[in-house]
Amino acid sequence: MKFFESGTNEFLTVRVCAFMMFFYFVYLVYFIVSTPFIDYYIWQSFFENFFMKIFTTAFLLSFAIHTWLGTWAIGTDYFTPARLGAASGIVYSSYRFFCALLISVVLIWSLVIIW
């Protein structure tokens, strides 16, 4: 018996990604609350910091993985032959392609902006 089966790996991956996104959110809220005045230049210098670029990149990768696994779960639950009949294969494939395309574009575009 394997300790980590596929479902366990996916469950842990989603939870680790969510934890990473939570820490990023808390850090941003802390920065906003602890900074008395925020203008464009303060915000820009905050995101130009190397640590923040790495942290934002980790957030974006976590967000992409979390979204990919979430959309997979939705697709496998709702785009089934029991619900859609013979069209389920093409609907599911189209849905996964659209999700992959959208997640990739957002990830690459965000990384280009950050770096």
Side-chain angles (χ1 to χ4, degrees), residues 31-94:
F31 173 75
I32 292 168
V33 169
S34 67
T35 306
F37 176 74
I38 298 177
D39 63 358
Y40 173 77
Y41 299 107
I42 292 172
W43 195 249
Q44 181 184 22
S45 65
F46 177 68
F47 278 99
E48 282 184 354
N49 182 352
F50 185 71
F51 168 76
M52 195 59 198
K53 286 185 178 189
I54 295 296
F55 200 18
T56 302
T57 300
F59 166 80
L60 292 169
L61 291 172
S62 294
F63 183 75
I65 293 167
H66 188 89
T67 305
W68 177 252
L69 291 174
T71 58
W72 170 81
I74 291 168
T76 56
D77 285 348
Y78 294 106
F79 301 135
T80 64
R83 291 183 186 268
L84 301 175
S88 65
I90 190 72
V91 171
Y92 179 75
S93 297
S94 301

Side-chain angles (χ1 to χ4, degrees), residues 2-3 10 13 19 22 24 40 44 56 64 84 86 111 113:
K2 292 183 182 178
F3 182 71
E10 291 165 1
T13 301
F19 197 60
F22 174 74
Y24 186 81
Y40 173 77
Q44 181 184 22
T56 302
L84 301 175
L111 290 173
I113 290 170

